[in-house]
Amino acid sequence: MTSPLLKTPVSGATATVRVPGTSANLGPGFDSLGLAVSLYDTLSITVLDAPGLEFELSGEGVADLPRDASHLVVKTMDTAWARLGYSRVGLRVTAENVLPHGRGLGSSASAIVAAIMAANALVAADDQQDKAWVLQLASELEGHPDNVAPAIFGAVAISWDESEKGDGAGYASARLTPSSLVVPVVAIPNVELKTERARGMLPATVPHADAAANSGRSALLMHALTNDPSLLLAGTRDYLHQDYRAEAMPGSAGLVAALRAEGFAAFISGAGPTVMVLANGSAQADEIVSRIAELGETANHGVSWRVLRLQVDLEGAKVELQTGS
């Protein structure tokens, strides 16, 4: 029941948010780098006068999603509104899910970002917050900013937690625009991998030499993405997480190894098991698509692949508000 001390969202208004998919880590940038790509989930929230929840869900994963207050979007909006001094009455949730779930393309981050931005758009103008506030809350709910930052801001995001070493408070992110030559290609397998399982396979510590090598590759990757895509193969070499997780996704690990052996900048997207390849130009992107199809037939470990040639999304999440008047 709505507390009389809390405000309520704008009755009859509809907020529609389109959020890009994201790939975290990009090889060596564990929990700190992310890239927005041209796959989009769309969420529309309409504020109803009467209490209750209505759901219109379509696309990826809808057969398994709840249609009550336990839905991630509703829980996230409740949290966002509570921070703003609001409480919901009734909602109609309309979601078109394009991002595959459990594949390492940021589906949960997309839902969280969309819900926060919708909640923010549906309060009084004087109470609305900027994207820095969205980043803080989304990172808190997701657990880290590597997916939510590019989902919010687009392009390439370098993100960090200023509070973790006593350097400040909260999450921060810097946006980089990659070279127009950078073309993402994804190979999405027909199997899922839960992020919790993938994280559970990581060691508590790594050798100092590996950490030092990884630091160098992360720095190189920034130069490769923005100035010299011919260095993408070297820049995407990881020493921190992919080898430790390979056992959980042998098909993906095998595809990454095969593509890298041929000179393509392949890596595990996020926690996996999707494989992303950053092509240096359109012609190489076409070559990568062909090679994935060929490699997938010879050593697939029972995995089939959906291969998509994408673009880097440069805009990030976009919200449109209709007042219903």
Side-chain angles (χ1 to χ4, degrees), residues 166-187:
D167 297 329
Y171 296 92
S173 183
R175 181 185 181 279
L176 295 179
T177 301
S179 165
S180 60
L181 292 173
V182 176
V183 181
V185 177
V186 292

Side-chain angles (χ1 to χ4, degrees), residues 13-264:
T14 298
T16 301
V17 190
R18 190 183 78 153
V19 185
T22 52
S23 177
N25 303 328
L26 309 185
F30 183 68
D31 277 5
S32 61
L33 299 182
L35 173 72
V37 296
S38 57
L39 284 174
Y40 302 94
D41 279 356
T42 303
L43 174 71
S44 291
I45 302 294
T46 301
V47 179
L48 306 177
D49 290 328
L53 291 169
E54 301 177 8
F55 288 87
E56 298 176 12
L57 309 179
S58 62
E60 295 280 346
V62 297
D64 302 319
L65 293 175
R67 285 158 170 79
D68 56 28
S70 67
H71 192 289
L72 178 60
V73 163
V74 179
K75 292 194 299 182
T76 301
M77 294 188 75
D78 283 345
T79 299
W81 276 330
R83 298 284 176 92
L84 297 170
Y86 282 72
S87 179
R88 66 177 159 88
V89 179
L91 296 179
R92 178 183 300 116
V93 179
T94 304
E96 180 184 352
N97 297 332
V98 171
L99 299 175
H101 293 189
R103 302 297 205 284
L105 286 171
S107 60
S108 65
S110 172
I112 288 170
V113 168
I116 295 172
M117 291 189 68
N120 188 49
L122 291 168
V123 301
D126 290 345
D127 294 325
Q128 291 178 9
Q129 304 296 310
D130 60 14
K131 284 189 173 182
W133 181 85
V134 176
L135 174 66
Q136 299 303 314
L137 181 54
S139 299
E140 177 186 329
L141 296 178
E142 178 74 351
H144 38 83
D146 54 353
N147 282 108
V148 300
I152 295 166
F153 301 110
V156 176
I158 309 169
S159 305
W160 64 97
D161 183 355
E162 293 190 324
S163 64
E164 62 187 5
K165 296 296 183 182
D167 297 329
Y171 296 92
S173 183
R175 181 185 181 279
L176 295 179
T177 301
S179 165
S180 60
L181 292 173
V182 176
V183 181
V185 177
V186 292
I188 305 170
N190 62 335
V191 293
E192 295 185 20
L193 177 64
K194 298 298 183 184
T195 301
E196 295 79 5
R197 182 188 175 197
R199 283 191 171 271
M201 302 182 76
L202 299 178
T205 61
V206 297
H208 187 276
D210 286 352
N214 209 74
S215 178
R217 297 306 176 107
S218 295
L220 176 61
L221 178 56
M222 296 301 93
H223 175 68
L225 281 168
T226 56
N227 292 291
D228 189 354
S230 70
L231 294 171
L232 284 168
L233 176 63
T236 51
R237 175 67 164 95
D238 161 66
Y239 294 86
L240 290 185
H241 64 101
Q242 292 185 147
D243 290 346
Y244 297 107
R245 292 167 162 173
E247 182 181 347
M249 44 183 143
S252 300
L255 182 58
V256 167
L259 288 168
R260 293 188 68 84
E262 296 186 10
F264 302 122

Side-chain angles (χ1 to χ4, degrees), residues 185 259 283-296 307:
V185 177
L259 288 168
Q284 189 180 78
D286 290 340
E287 186 180 358
I288 289 166
V289 170
S290 297
R291 288 300 293 141
I292 291 174
E294 295 166 0
L295 292 167
V307 183

